[in-house]
Amino acid sequence: MTIDAAIPTPALPEPRDILFISKATPGDDDFALWLAPRLEAAGFKVFADILNLTGGDIWRRVVTNTLQAKSVKMLLCCSDDTLGRQGVLEEIDIACQVSKDIKDETFIIPLRLKPYKKIFGIANLNYVNFVPSWADGLDSLLETLKRRGIRPNPDSIQINPNWELYRKRLSIKLLPEPERLTSNWLRVAEAPDAIHYFEPVGSIDRDLMYEQCAQLSFPNEPWAHGFFALTSLEEVNRSFSGLVTFKLAASIGLDEFQKNGSEYLGIRGQDASNKLMSMLRRAWIKMCEEKGLIRYEYSGSTGFHIGEQQAGIGKQISWGRQGERHRSMLRNVARGHVWQYGVTATPNFWPFPHFKLKSRVLFASYVDDKMGDVLGDPQKQHKLRRSVCKGWRNKQWHGRLRAFLELMCGESSYIRIPVGHETFIKLDPSPVLFTSPVSTYLPDEEDGDAEEADETTLGRPDPEEEED
């Protein structure tokens, strides 16, 4: 009698259901810690070498086995720095072989974190762009996975808590000590007591009146049969040159108007606040134009930059209190272009009236030792900002802002924004200081004038840089 040996059942291959994040350590850690839990929340399984791996052979075996046998896609973080790492290059080699073995030409999905040079193995692959916004990049990545048939499993969503624990270990420790912080807010030090509502005496074509309002030299906002302004009745009637006579129909305290509007005039608080902000914004723009600053339209806001009228190329502008003077440049040459510091300004009323400034840098061509045309290509502007300004530190940005504000003040102690012939909004040029109840330990090794030690903002660029 013979007994047949039991025939073992071959083990089924493990399913490929893991998104493998290939990254540089520690350069891409922040991105991986941001991306991984969001992919898990969407229903995917994720692997990154941040968690639960020790060094040596165990680490290499786990990484290699996960990539070769369990991963359905490799998400490759891409920047020149990341793609120059030996470990990342080895993972790309393995992924290229996996791509051939499983006949998936799109096994590797490049994630563009910064502009990068193409390298062997991924040169022809389309990337998902995370440069403008990580959130937008994630949306594009999820759509890409969907198009390529990689489906999440909404029934087994598990977010590994170790992502957050690891992120907290990397965070900077808070110190129980208060710290003074400088903001980008300028307090409104003085403003007219009231906003006025003017109505025409007698009948007038409303559309014609609105057209005339748009041409007035002072900011105003049409409403119902008249318009709001911060100037006097005399200036209003003088501006209309006798075409029509106006009367003062109402005066409302500025604070009351922006909070509650006016029941008498039928305007609600939010609408009143919007109209007042619009007037202040246009007053700022008109003041900058009259000072001869260079206007540039950014997405959703208008910036004004220092030009030749305000400061020559390479000229240092003094700023600060008497006895504590500093110097900063607002225009210079770098990478073969002229950079010019400027700001966009946004009025706001909460928690107190102020203007919030955002620093900007605008580039123009540099021809025969002179500034040429402002670059019209937003992408080139962006690329130059990323390269030239990356070496600027907080003190440098702060110094340029203070120098800019010094120029805006001129001989006055305030920035005077005209809202009428003899009526002004006055801004305190010293940014508002806040006190944080906690602090962090960060080394501060720069002295007061360190803002001009950066060679990328001073003098001519290196010949090698000019070839870029």
Side-chain angles (χ1 to χ4, degrees), residues 18-318:
I18 289 177
L19 299 176
F20 183 102
I21 298 177
S22 178
K23 49 172 277 300
T25 302
D28 298 326
D29 282 358
D30 285 345
F31 175 74
L33 291 170
W34 179 88
L35 178 64
R38 284 164 174 77
L39 290 173
E40 288 181 338
F44 294 101
K45 292 183 179 178
V46 181
F47 175 92
D49 63 2
I50 295 176
L51 304 182
N52 302 325
L53 292 180
T54 58
D57 293 339
I58 295 177
W59 174 82
R60 291 185 181 280
R61 282 203 300 271
V62 171
V63 170
T64 303
N65 181 58
T66 303
L67 185 54
Q68 288 180 328
K70 301 178 181 178
S71 298
V72 65
K73 293 289 179 185
M74 173 206 261
L75 308 181
L76 175 61
C77 296
C78 289
S79 68
D80 285 337
D81 181 62
T82 300
L83 298 178
R85 300 296 184 91
Q86 185 60 36
V88 174
L89 293 175
E90 291 176 3
E91 290 174 358
I92 293 174
D93 285 343
I94 295 173
C96 288
Q97 186 58 51
V98 173
S99 176
K100 294 176 183 176
D101 293 344
I102 65 175
K103 296 180 175 52
D104 180 1
E105 295 179 351
T106 62
F107 177 72
I108 302 174
I109 301 178
L111 310 182
R112 183 175 183 257
L113 305 188
K114 295 179 181 177
Y116 64 93
K117 296 180 178 65
K118 293 182 178 180
I119 65 171
F120 182 77
I122 64 169
N124 297 323
L125 298 178
N126 294 324
Y127 59 73
V128 177
N129 195 4
F130 281 78
V131 171
S133 160
W134 286 5
D136 291 344
L138 175 60
D139 289 342
S140 299
L141 174 60
L142 293 176
E143 184 61 31
T144 298
L145 292 171
K146 182 179 179 182
R147 285 201 309 271
R148 297 178 183 178
I150 311 302
R151 305 293 181 184
N153 186 352
D155 298 326
S156 62
I157 293 176
Q158 289 185 331
I159 301 176
N160 190 334
N162 288 323
W163 301 118
E164 180 63 12
L165 294 176
Y166 189 89
R167 190 185 65 79
K168 287 182 177 178
R169 286 205 303 273
L170 294 178
S171 61
I172 298 172
K173 184 179 180 181
L174 291 178
L175 302 176
E177 301 171 0
E179 180 179 357
R180 296 282 279 175
L181 301 173
T182 303
S183 75
N184 58 344
W185 292 13
L186 300 184
R187 184 187 299 273
V188 174
E190 190 174 320
D193 293 332
I195 187 170
H196 309 299
Y197 181 70
F198 301 100
E199 282 184 344
V201 178
S203 61
I204 182 176
D205 183 283
R206 185 184 301 185
D207 293 337
L208 178 61
M209 184 190 72
Y210 282 11
E211 289 179 11
Q212 292 292 318
C213 285
Q215 306 301 320
L216 295 176
S217 60
F218 51 83
N220 63 87
E221 277 291 327
W223 178 257
H225 303 292
F227 63 88
F228 292 104
L230 293 162
T231 190
S232 65
L233 177 62
E234 291 74 18
E235 184 176 5
V236 168
N237 283 324
R238 191 166 56 245
S239 298
F240 277 85
S241 304
L243 293 176
V244 62
T245 301
F246 283 84
K247 65 178 182 182
L248 179 59
S251 292
I252 308 130
L254 215 54
D255 187 55
E256 170 67 19
F257 181 72
Q258 70 90 10
K259 288 179 179 174
N260 303 315
S262 169
E263 185 175 351
Y264 169 70
L265 296 173
I267 183 170
R268 297 177 302 174
Q270 186 59 55
D271 294 331
S273 179
N274 291 341
K275 288 193 173 294
L276 192 52
M277 279 199 287
S278 174
M279 292 170 61
L280 298 186
R281 188 180 299 111
R282 282 185 282 129
W284 170 273
I285 289 174
K286 189 169 188 296
M287 177 198 68
C288 292
E289 289 177 337
E290 290 178 347
K291 288 181 177 292
L293 273 67
I294 299 173
R295 177 171 178 160
Y296 188 83
E297 298 299 331
Y298 293 93
S299 176
S301 61
T302 302
F304 284 93
H305 294 261
I306 296 298
E308 186 65 33
Q309 293 184 38
Q310 294 78 38
I313 293 175
K315 181 181 178 181
Q316 294 189 333
I317 307 299
S318 295

Side-chain angles (χ1 to χ4, degrees), residues 278-407:
S278 174
M279 292 170 61
L280 298 186
R281 188 180 299 111
R282 282 185 282 129
W284 170 273
I285 289 174
K286 189 169 188 296
M287 177 198 68
C288 292
E289 289 177 337
E290 290 178 347
K291 288 181 177 292
L293 273 67
I294 299 173
R295 177 171 178 160
Y296 188 83
E297 298 299 331
Y298 293 93
S299 176
S301 61
T302 302
F304 284 93
H305 294 261
I306 296 298
E308 186 65 33
Q309 293 184 38
Q310 294 78 38
I313 293 175
K315 181 181 178 181
Q316 294 189 333
I317 307 299
S318 295
W319 59 271
R321 292 176 298 182
Q322 196 70 29
E324 297 180 4
R325 301 293 285 178
H326 304 276
R327 296 176 301 167
S328 294
M329 285 187 191
L330 297 176
R331 301 176 73 226
N332 207 353
V333 176
R335 294 186 181 270
H337 294 82
V338 178
W339 62 261
Q340 297 154 116
Y341 180 86
V343 305
T344 54
T346 306
N348 210 316
F349 300 110
W350 193 88
F352 51 80
H354 66 275
F355 274 62
K356 183 170 66 177
L357 305 183
K358 180 178 177 59
S359 294
R360 303 284 196 176
V361 179
L362 184 68
F363 290 87
S365 60
Y366 184 57
V367 182
D368 297 332
D369 295 333
K370 294 181 180 177
M371 171 187 156
D373 295 333
V374 172
L375 302 184
D377 182 354
Q379 292 297 325
K380 192 163 187 178
Q381 290 276 357
H382 178 73
K383 182 179 179 182
L384 284 167
R385 287 188 200 105
R386 295 292 296 265
S387 60
V388 173
C389 304
K390 69 179 182 181
W392 298 6
R393 300 294 181 258
N394 285 343
K395 278 192 174 182
Q396 293 166 294
W397 285 106
H398 177 70
R400 301 190 205 290
L401 174 62
R402 296 297 300 272
F404 178 92
L405 297 174
E406 192 96 1
L407 287 181

